[in-house]
């Protein structure tokens, strides 16, 4: 069964460092998403990406965040200068169409900023 | 704006008992509603979804949910709990209009099944 894969599963980084979280969406999917879940809190939407551009983003997704689909298979989330409060589980998701279709989620990357 | 409230962060049921996980939503436009399950160390898996067809929706693993507009609810049920149902369950909403790209999640309900 096709799945969304995320790497690494766990990343520890020092405050102020840049991190790149990687995702391989399902191959025939056209819509890509990043969500995050701070420990003990809700899963929160960060950004959606379609046709090589951001289609929607939340208030959380400020200038320190960026997304890219560099090579037609990977979908990355970059955090330029990490803060302690960026520590969270980050989920990538993809879907064939907008969200009346099913969004498939990856297993997540746990980011710990120290 | 839309939001989801899940009553009960932790629910415990005995094996074989009814599972009822509550979800209430708020949406200014007709909603699409989803239940996702997360097993330990895994991603979010779709259990079922309501997208304005039948109000009683059947999903995987014997779960079902009923959309009740008058109560703004979308509670998840299963007649008989199994040990393998122990997981965290998330209710989510999105709007049904064009360009619907984001899900708004509830805080989740952790289900424990007692043998």
């Amino acid at each position: 069964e096709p799945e969304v894969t995320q790497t690494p599963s766990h990343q520890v980084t020092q405050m102020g460092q840049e991190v790149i979280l990687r995702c391989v969406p399902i191959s025939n999917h056209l819509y890509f998403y990043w969500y995050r879940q701070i420990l003990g809190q809700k899963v929160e939407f960060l950004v959606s990406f379609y046709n090589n551009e951001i289609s929607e983003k939340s208030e959380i997704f400020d200038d320190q965040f960026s997304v890219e689909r560099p090579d037609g298979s990977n979908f990355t989330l970059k955090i330029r200068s990490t803060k302690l409060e960026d520590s969270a589980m980050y989920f990538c998701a993809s879907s064939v169409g907008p969200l009346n279709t099913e969004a498939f989620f990856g297993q997540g990357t746990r980011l710990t900023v120290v | 704006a839309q939001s989801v409230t899940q009553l009960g962060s932790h629910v415990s049921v005995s094996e074989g008992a009814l599972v009822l996980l509550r979800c209430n939503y708020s949406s200014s436009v007709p909603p699409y509603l989803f239940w996702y399950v997360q097993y330990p160390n895994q991603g979010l898996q779709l259990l079922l979804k309501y997208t304005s067809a039948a109000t009683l929706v059947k999903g995987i693993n014997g779960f079902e949910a009923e959309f009740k507009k008058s109560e703004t609810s979308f509670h998840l049920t299963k007649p008989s709990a199994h040990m393998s149902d122990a997981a965290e369950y998330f209710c989510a909403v999105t709007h049904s209009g064009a360009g619907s790209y984001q899900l708004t999640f509830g805080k989740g309900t952790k289900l424990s099944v007692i043998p």
Side-chain angles (χ1 to χ4, degrees), chain A residues 31 33 35 37 41-43 45 48 50 55-56 91 98-103 105-107, chain B residues 4 32 34 36 38 41-44 46 49 51 90 94 99-103 105-107:
Chain A
Y31 295 77
Y33 315 86
Y35 286 78
Q37 184 181 28
Q41 298 187 24
K42 294 183 181 186
V43 176
F45 169 77
S48 61
Y50 169 69
S55 46
E56 199 167 350
F91 292 105
L99 284 171
N100 54 324
T101 63
E102 179 177 352
F105 283 78
Q107 293 186 333
Chain B
V4 170
Y32 287 168
F34 304 80
Y36 280 85
Q38 185 179 29
N41 301 315
Q42 294 190 27
L44 298 166
L46 182 68
K49 64 181 179 182
T51 56
F90 295 90
T94 189
S100 161
Y101 300 118
Q102 64 170 287
L103 291 168
F105 284 86
K107 280 193 170 183

Side-chain angles (χ1 to χ4, degrees), chain B residues 3 11-12 19 47 64 74 95 108:
Chain B
S3 64
V11 170
S12 291
V19 176
L47 272 179
E64 62 181 39
F74 190 58
H95 66 81

Side-chain angles (χ1 to χ4, degrees), chain A residues 28-71:
Chain A
N28 63 332
H29 286 189
L30 300 177
Y31 295 77
F32 314 112
Y33 315 86
W34 283 101
Y35 286 78
R36 78 172 186 191
Q37 184 181 28
I38 295 172
L39 190 63
Q41 298 187 24
K42 294 183 181 186
V43 176
E44 302 172 291
F45 169 77
L46 291 178
V47 66
S48 61
F49 191 85
Y50 169 69
N51 200 26
N52 283 319
E53 60 183 25
I54 290 173
S55 46
E56 199 167 350
K57 62 182 181 179
S58 71
E59 293 176 352
I60 303 167
F61 194 87
D62 61 20
D63 291 344
Q64 70 163 340
F65 291 94
S66 62
V67 289
E68 193 178 28
R69 188 153 162 81
D71 56 13

Side-chain angles (χ1 to χ4, degrees), chain B:
Chain B
Q2 52 211 19
S3 64
V4 170
T5 302
Q6 290 184 244
L7 288 175
S9 58
H10 198 164
V11 170
S12 291
V13 300
S14 298
E15 191 174 15
L18 171 73
V19 176
L20 171 60
L21 304 182
R22 298 178 187 274
C23 172
N24 288 88
Y25 70 91
S26 169
S27 179
S28 56
V29 296
Y32 287 168
L33 293 155
F34 304 80
W35 275 99
Y36 280 85
V37 61
Q38 185 179 29
Y39 298 102
N41 301 315
Q42 294 190 27
L44 298 166
Q45 181 184 5
L46 182 68
L47 272 179
L48 49 80
K49 64 181 179 182
Y50 165 78
T51 56
S52 75
T55 56
L56 182 62
V57 181
K58 294 188 185 298
I60 62 171
N61 302 338
F63 284 93
E64 62 181 39
E66 187 172 7
F67 172 69
K68 292 188 176 180
K69 184 178 178 181
S70 60
E71 299 177 9
T72 60
S73 69
F74 190 58
H75 302 330
L76 182 70
T77 60
K78 181 173 180 178
S80 176
H82 192 273
M83 296 297 295
S84 60
D85 295 327
E88 189 153 20
Y89 292 81
F90 295 90
C91 183
V93 64
T94 189
H95 66 81
S96 58
S100 161
Y101 300 118
Q102 64 170 287
L103 291 168
T104 300
F105 284 86
K107 280 193 170 183
T109 298
K110 187 165 285 189
L111 176 67
S112 298
V113 182
I114 304 163

